[in-house]
């Protein structure tokens, strides 16, 4: 009955439409139908937009989209700034990512707190003209959106191909691990392929123009973060949700927007650090003050609080005995371990109390301490304040930022790492970076039987030979020394090929945002492969150029160049007091020539090889120096106020506008440098002039500028100023 009535109603409606006055009914029907279509389309659009935000934010972190400053900035900023700013002030904080000129602008909600903003106007202005202000607020993304709209219309194809290879760049797996360790290699390979495509797109999208906007002014504010004066942007979890969860990310996870805030000083201020070598035995407590550190000191006798200092007694260590006896015990078990000769480069996992590092330093052994991200006591910061090479990283799913086969020894003393878990991927990562015939030293005083059995099975499966397993009487610590094989023959003798050999087309040196592999890389055997032979004894290896180095003449020239520059200029002509310089970073190391020229000074140098540059880091390690891969579009993995001197040779010109906000690199340099520390920058004059103004706005003291033709040098010293 209801069906009959419905059909009669439709027929009646059709007859009404055929009548002359039915034209109004027709119009009303069309309008209703159009409104329904608009509503349905808007619903689909909003859903698609939200989906794009999730995927594009993932890609943006993987490879920062190049968006250098362009000449059209003035026209855009002046005409649209007030309109866009009003949008932000009205509270429009959307999570939408809009496509603009081939790139994307991200807007995300953050927990805003009260901020103290100070605008610093650089002195010595030539003309008092209206200038665009670089605002470090939410409107930055909106202004950038309009800029990129104009830039997209005037974009030109890049005429000069970028120097070097993108060989060390890999996928950026932004998604957090669920903690079970069962990662899909297939999905990881797909992400690597996506990354390669994004790199190619980024190359095509690169623009010409100045790295810094010479007409920009900067307003600075303090970072308002959970970790306060110890803020490490890519390690500390300071997001809105993160404040309610873990203190630090499980993996390296950088903020979506470039960090443009300044890290505050410690609560009680900051004084110049104790100079080397006195800093080995004592440091200023307030420079590394931390609530959990105070509780830690009360439970351990290797560190004492003495007035304003933290002291480190030489006869006390975490080994419960003399650390020198521990080193002698190791060498007695394996005589081939000749500290300071056959063994030069060591990786220490865990970064406990650094007595091991300090003792090896006296034997001409350079040790890199890996401060794990779970170190909430901040002992890695204590090690840096004492003057020991240290960096902070997670040890979970991604590779450490080192090339393959570069460490002579890897040491783990009570580092609480479960090497056998998750298919043994952590130990396989150690196998990747350990030199063939290199040594893995594991010491502990509370071994569990099940852990002992699992470790024995795992090391046997990767053909590590156990050279010694004894208990050191003084410390009552069980010490095991394993050795990695020197050839591939032993791999073929395994009954079970588990773990399997890695694919031949996989690059063992690729380490930047690359997931760990549960496979064994073949040991280099050809003379043109690095790692095929053990290096010369120290210090002869510093001046030895191996057969596999294809650019030997360039390496020799680089060494001679920096040796002359350092002796004639750096040591005497810049006004730097080298007695107060200990921790040094070369932000654009090529062959390690700058670090080699300082080997006779009381300093250590962290050689950073940018991921967009040719991969020369294996040669740096071959020389007996240390280094790391890094992308300077992101913050570095260390604590604030870690370095006394930063050296940047053509860093900004080599970046070629890869970074979204090049000024954030200057902010990172400010974070890395101690008050009273130095920055020496060599670059093109067109880059140094606006860079000088940025440093002046940060209240750095410009100690020296020099220019000849189109090249120049800038030397500046950081002050205690904070906004």
């Amino acid at each position: 009955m209801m069906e009959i009535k419905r059909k009669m109603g439709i027929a009646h409606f059709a007859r009404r439409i055929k009548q002359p006055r039915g034209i109004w009914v027709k119009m009303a029907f069309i309008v209703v139908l159009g409104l329904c279509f608009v509503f349905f389309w808007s619903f689909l659009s909003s859903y698609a937009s939200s989906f794009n935000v999730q995927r594009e934010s993932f890609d943006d972190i993987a490879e920062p989209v190049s968006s250098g400053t362009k000449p059209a900035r003035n026209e855009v900023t002046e005409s649209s700034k007030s309109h866009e700013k009003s949008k932000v002030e009205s509270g429009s904080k959307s999570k939408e990512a809009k496509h603009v000129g081939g790139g994307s602008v991200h807007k995300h909600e953050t927990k805003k707190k009260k901020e103290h903003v100070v605008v610093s106007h650089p002195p010595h202005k030539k003309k008092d003209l209206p200038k665009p202000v670089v605002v470090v607020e939410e409107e930055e993304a909106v202004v950038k959106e309009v800029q990129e709209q104009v830039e997209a219309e005037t974009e030109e194809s890049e005429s000069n191909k970028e120097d070097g290879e993108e060989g060390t760049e890999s996928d950026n797996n932004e998604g957090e691990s669920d903690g079970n360790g069962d990662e899909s290699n297939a999905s990881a390979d797909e992400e690597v392929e996506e990354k390669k495509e994004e790199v190619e797109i980024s190359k095509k999208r690169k623009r010409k123009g100045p790295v810094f906007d010479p007409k920009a002014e900067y307003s600075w504010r303090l970072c308002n973060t959970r970790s306060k004066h110890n803020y490490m942007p890519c390690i500390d979890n300071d997001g809105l949700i993160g404040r309610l969860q873990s203190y630090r990310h499980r993996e390296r996870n950088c903020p979506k927007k470039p960090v443009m805030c300044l890290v505050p000083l410690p609560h009680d201020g900051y004084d110049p650090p104790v100079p080397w070598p006195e800093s080995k035995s004592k440091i200023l407590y307030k420079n590394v003050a931390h609530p959990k550190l105070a509780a830690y000191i009360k439970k351990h006798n290797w560190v004492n609080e003495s007035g304003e200092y933290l002291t480190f007694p030489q006869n006390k260590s975490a080994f419960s005995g003399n650390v020198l006896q521990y080193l002698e015990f190791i060498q007695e078990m394996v005589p081939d371990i000749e500290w300071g000769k056959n063994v030069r480069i060591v990786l220490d996992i865990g970064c406990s109390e650094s007595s091991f590092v300090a003792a090896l330093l006296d034997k001409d052994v350079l040790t890199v301490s890996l401060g794990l991200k779970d170190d909430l006591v901040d002992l890695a910061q204590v090690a840096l304040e004492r003057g020991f090479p240290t960096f902070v990283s997670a040890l979970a799913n991604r590779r450490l930022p080192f090339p393959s086969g570069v460490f002579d020894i890897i040491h783990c003393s009570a580092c609480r790492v479960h090497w056998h878990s998750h298919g043994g991927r952590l130990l396989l990562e150690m196998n990747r970076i350990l030199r063939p015939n290199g040594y893995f030293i594991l010491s502990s005083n509370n071994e569990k039987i099940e852990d002992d059995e699992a470790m024995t099975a795992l090391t046997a499966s990767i053909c590590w030979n156990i050279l010694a397993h004894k208990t050191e009487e003084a410390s009552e610590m069980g010490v095991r020394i394993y050795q990695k094989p020197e050839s591939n023959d032993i791999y073929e003798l395994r009954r079970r090929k588990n773990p399997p050999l890695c694919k031949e087309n996989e690059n063992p040196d690729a380490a930047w945002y690359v997931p760990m592999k549960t496979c064994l890389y073949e040991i280099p055997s050809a003379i043109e492969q690095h790692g095929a032979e053990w290096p010369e004894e120290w210090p002869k290896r510093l001046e030895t150029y191996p057969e596999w180095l294809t650019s030997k003449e360039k390496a020799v020239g680089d060494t001679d160049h920096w040796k002359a520059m350092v002796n004639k200029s750096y040591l005497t002509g810049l006004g730097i007091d080298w007695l107060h310089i200990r921790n040094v970073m070369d932000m654009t190391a090529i062959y390690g020539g700058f670090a080699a020229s300082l080997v006779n000074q009381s300093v250590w140098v962290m050689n950073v090889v940018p991921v967009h540059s040719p991969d020369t880091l294996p040669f740096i390690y071959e020389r007996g120096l240390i280094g790391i891969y890094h992308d300077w579009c992101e913050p570095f993995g260390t604590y604030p106020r870690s370095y006394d001197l930063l050296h940047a040779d053509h860093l900004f010109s080599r970046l070629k506008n890869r970074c979204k906000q090049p000024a954030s690199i200057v902010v990172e340099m400010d974070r890395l440098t101690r008050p009273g520390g130095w920055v020496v920058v060599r670059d093109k004059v067109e880059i140094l002039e606006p860079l000088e103004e940025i440093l002046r706005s940060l209240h750095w003291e410009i100690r020296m500028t020099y220019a000849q033709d189109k090249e120049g040098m800038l030397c500046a010293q950081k002050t205690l100023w904070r906004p």
Side-chain angles (χ1 to χ4, degrees):
M1 188 67 181
M2 293 295 295
E3 182 66 16
I4 295 174
K5 289 183 178 181
R6 185 178 66 81
K7 292 182 178 179
M8 292 178 62
I10 294 174
H12 178 70
F13 181 72
R15 288 195 300 270
R16 293 289 302 271
I17 290 177
K18 292 180 180 179
Q19 296 177 6
R21 64 178 179 275
I23 184 64
W24 301 108
V25 179
K26 293 178 183 179
M27 293 296 294
F29 178 77
I30 292 172
V31 170
V32 171
L33 185 62
L35 290 174
C36 291
F37 176 79
V38 170
F39 175 79
F40 183 72
W41 179 256
S42 64
F43 174 79
L44 290 179
S45 299
S46 63
Y47 177 81
S49 176
S50 63
F51 177 80
N52 286 339
V53 169
Q54 298 173 12
R55 189 67 185 93
E56 289 171 357
S57 62
F58 177 96
D59 292 342
D60 177 65
I61 296 175
E63 174 64 29
V65 180
S66 59
S67 57
T69 310
K70 297 292 175 287
R73 177 186 173 112
N74 289 349
E75 302 170 13
V76 177
T77 308
E78 294 299 329
S79 61
S80 61
K81 182 178 175 183
S82 60
H83 174 64
E84 300 300 340
K85 187 173 181 180
S86 65
K87 288 183 180 180
V88 178
E89 291 177 349
S90 64
S92 65
K93 300 177 183 177
S94 75
K95 294 182 179 180
E96 197 174 65
K98 300 181 179 179
H99 291 281
V100 182
S104 62
V105 178
H106 300 277
K107 304 173 186 178
H108 60 95
E109 188 172 351
T110 56
K111 186 175 182 180
K112 294 292 292 177
K113 289 189 176 182
K114 188 175 181 180
E115 299 169 346
H116 179 54
V117 180
V118 175
V119 180
S120 174
H121 297 280
H124 310 297
K125 302 248 175 110
K126 295 182 179 179
K127 295 183 180 180
D128 190 14
L129 297 175
K131 295 184 178 180
V133 178
V134 178
V135 184
V136 193
E137 300 282 353
E138 281 82 1
E139 65 260 36
E140 178 184 7
V142 183
V143 174
K144 198 171 189 65
E145 173 185 341
V146 183
Q147 293 172 5
E148 291 184 354
Q149 286 177 336
V150 177
E151 290 168 1
E153 299 173 359
T154 59
E155 182 177 353
E156 298 178 0
S157 60
E158 184 179 39
S159 59
N160 297 324
K161 188 176 181 181
E162 183 175 350
D163 295 335
E165 302 173 352
E166 302 274 348
T168 57
E169 288 199 47
S170 304
D171 68 315
N172 181 352
N173 182 12
E174 185 54 36
E176 291 296 319
S177 171
D178 58 2
N180 60 9
D182 298 329
E183 291 187 321
S184 171
N185 288 335
S187 61
D189 293 338
E190 291 176 2
E191 291 173 3
V192 171
E193 293 301 322
E194 289 181 7
K195 175 67 175 174
K196 291 179 180 178
E197 294 177 2
E198 291 165 13
V199 169
E200 293 301 322
I201 295 173
S202 178
K203 284 183 178 179
K204 296 178 181 178
R205 195 161 50 211
K206 286 177 183 175
R207 305 175 176 89
K208 297 179 180 179
V211 175
F212 303 110
D213 183 359
K215 299 182 179 180
E217 293 179 358
Y218 297 86
S219 63
W220 305 109
R221 61 179 176 86
L222 292 178
C223 298
N224 190 0
T225 60
R226 182 179 178 183
S227 45
K228 301 178 182 178
H229 58 277
N230 288 332
Y231 180 42
M232 294 182 285
C234 297
I235 296 173
D236 293 339
N237 193 353
D238 280 296
L240 179 62
I241 299 178
R243 291 173 183 265
L244 305 175
Q245 298 178 350
S246 61
Y247 180 68
R248 287 179 176 161
H249 293 293
R250 177 173 173 79
E251 291 283 5
R252 179 180 175 86
N253 190 340
C254 298
K256 293 181 175 64
K257 292 182 180 180
V259 177
M260 291 293 291
C261 61
L262 305 182
V263 177
L265 295 176
H267 183 267
D268 294 328
Y270 186 89
D271 286 345
V274 177
W276 182 267
E278 192 179 357
S279 61
K280 286 198 295 184
S281 58
K282 71 174 184 179
I283 60 174
L284 284 169
Y285 190 4
K286 70 177 184 179
N287 287 358
V288 296
H290 188 278
K292 292 188 177 181
L293 180 60
Y296 182 89
I297 293 172
K298 296 177 181 178
K299 299 178 182 179
H300 297 80
N301 63 355
W302 61 266
V303 55
N304 300 321
E305 182 179 356
S306 178
E308 61 179 344
Y309 296 101
L310 288 181
T311 59
F312 308 91
Q314 292 185 354
N315 60 343
K316 300 289 184 180
S317 72
F319 297 98
S320 302
N322 193 314
V323 67
L324 293 177
Q325 295 178 2
Y326 176 72
L327 296 179
E328 292 173 1
F329 178 70
I330 291 174
Q331 191 163 346
E332 287 175 1
M333 288 192 291
V334 183
D336 286 341
I337 297 179
E338 297 180 85
W339 300 115
K341 294 182 179 180
N342 189 41
V343 171
R344 164 65 178 173
I345 302 297
V346 175
L347 176 65
D348 186 33
I349 305 293
C351 188
S352 55
E353 40 82 24
S354 301
S355 65
F356 177 76
V357 179
L360 284 179
L361 202 58
D362 294 334
K363 295 179 177 292
D364 264 347
V365 176
L366 196 55
T367 305
V368 183
S369 295
L370 169 61
L372 300 178
K373 60 98 181 178
D374 295 324
D375 169 28
L376 302 183
V377 184
D378 292 340
L379 294 178
Q381 188 180 32
V382 174
L384 284 163
E385 190 73 13
R386 294 179 69 183
F388 301 135
T390 308
F391 81 104
V392 181
S393 175
L395 187 61
N397 300 319
R398 295 180 189 152
R399 290 179 176 177
L400 295 175
F402 303 118
S404 64
V406 293
F407 288 102
D408 304 335
I409 285 180
I410 297 177
H411 177 256
C412 169
S413 174
C415 56
R416 294 175 297 178
V417 175
H418 300 289
W419 297 109
H420 57 276
S421 61
H422 305 309
R425 69 176 176 216
L426 298 182
L427 196 67
L428 286 168
E429 172 63 5
M430 299 300 104
N431 184 78
R432 181 186 72 86
I433 62 178
L434 185 63
R435 188 179 294 280
N437 253 358
Y439 306 94
F440 182 83
I441 301 176
L442 181 64
S443 57
S444 175
N445 51 12
N446 54 353
E447 294 177 328
K448 296 181 179 178
I449 297 178
E450 55 271 21
D451 291 344
D452 183 26
E453 294 176 349
M455 189 67 178
T456 300
L458 178 59
T459 53
S461 69
I462 62 177
C463 303
W464 280 12
N465 182 25
I466 181 165
L467 301 180
H469 183 192
K470 296 182 180 180
T471 300
E472 206 269 319
E473 295 180 358
S475 62
E476 298 182 353
M477 186 173 289
V479 181
R480 295 186 185 189
I481 302 179
Y482 301 91
Q483 188 174 32
K484 180 179 175 179
E486 62 177 344
S487 69
N488 296 302
D489 297 339
I490 195 170
Y491 291 154
E492 301 300 326
L493 300 177
R494 295 182 300 165
R495 292 183 179 179
R496 295 180 58 191
K497 303 297 189 291
N498 185 31
L501 294 178
C502 300
K503 298 177 181 178
E504 292 184 359
N505 60 351
E506 290 184 358
N507 181 11
D509 294 333
W512 188 246
Y513 283 103
V514 176
M516 294 180 185
K517 305 285 186 181
T518 53
C519 61
L520 286 169
Y521 282 101
E522 290 191 356
I523 295 172
S525 56
I527 196 172
E528 62 271 10
Q529 294 177 289
H530 78 82
E533 296 181 351
W534 195 272
E536 297 283 349
E537 289 187 355
W538 179 262
K540 188 178 179 181
R541 68 190 283 181
L542 182 66
E543 301 294 339
T544 301
Y545 302 90
E547 294 293 333
W548 52 263
L549 183 65
T550 57
S551 52
K552 180 178 178 180
E553 293 182 358
K554 293 182 179 179
V556 173
D558 179 77
T559 301
D560 293 341
H561 166 74
W562 286 114
K563 187 179 295 184
M565 290 295 298
V566 168
N567 290 335
K568 293 180 181 179
S569 177
Y570 283 64
L571 296 180
T572 57
L574 301 183
I576 298 174
D577 183 3
W578 287 90
L579 295 176
H580 291 83
I581 302 295
R582 172 61 185 170
N583 302 354
V584 179
M585 175 186 285
D586 189 358
M587 301 177 71
T588 50
I590 301 178
Y591 296 104
F594 178 74
S597 66
L598 292 172
V599 73
N600 293 324
Q601 303 296 318
S602 297
V603 303
W604 63 270
V605 181
M606 179 63 77
N607 293 281
V608 180
V609 174
V611 296
H612 63 277
S613 301
D615 186 11
T616 55
L617 194 52
F619 172 65
I620 290 175
Y621 274 96
E622 192 79 6
R623 305 187 71 175
L625 306 172
I626 60 174
I628 196 170
Y629 294 124
H630 185 64
D631 185 349
W632 283 115
C633 296
E634 300 180 4
F636 192 78
T638 192
Y639 286 89
R641 306 171 300 278
S642 293
Y643 287 89
D644 301 303
L645 187 145
L646 302 181
H647 182 248
D649 180 34
H650 290 81
L651 167 66
F652 297 100
S653 57
R654 284 182 178 135
L655 285 174
K656 295 187 177 179
N657 295 3
R658 290 181 70 255
C659 306
K660 297 169 93 174
Q661 176 60 281
S664 65
I665 304 173
V666 187
V667 174
E668 176 64 3
M669 295 168 75
D670 180 88
R671 188 184 75 89
L672 294 175
T673 311
R674 293 169 171 170
W678 298 76
V679 165
V680 179
V681 183
R682 304 172 66 90
D683 220 308
K684 298 177 180 178
V685 173
E686 63 184 25
I687 291 175
L688 294 180
E689 290 178 349
L691 175 61
E692 179 180 346
E693 295 304 312
I694 297 176
L695 291 173
R696 288 187 185 278
S697 72
L698 291 167
H699 290 247
W700 282 53
E701 295 181 357
I702 308 302
R703 296 300 187 183
M704 189 274 292
T705 58
Y706 173 79
Q708 184 176 7
D709 298 329
K710 296 182 180 180
E711 297 288 325
M713 182 167 67
L714 183 150
C715 183
Q717 188 175 21
K718 181 179 175 179
T719 65
L720 287 168
W721 178 84
R722 296 287 89 177

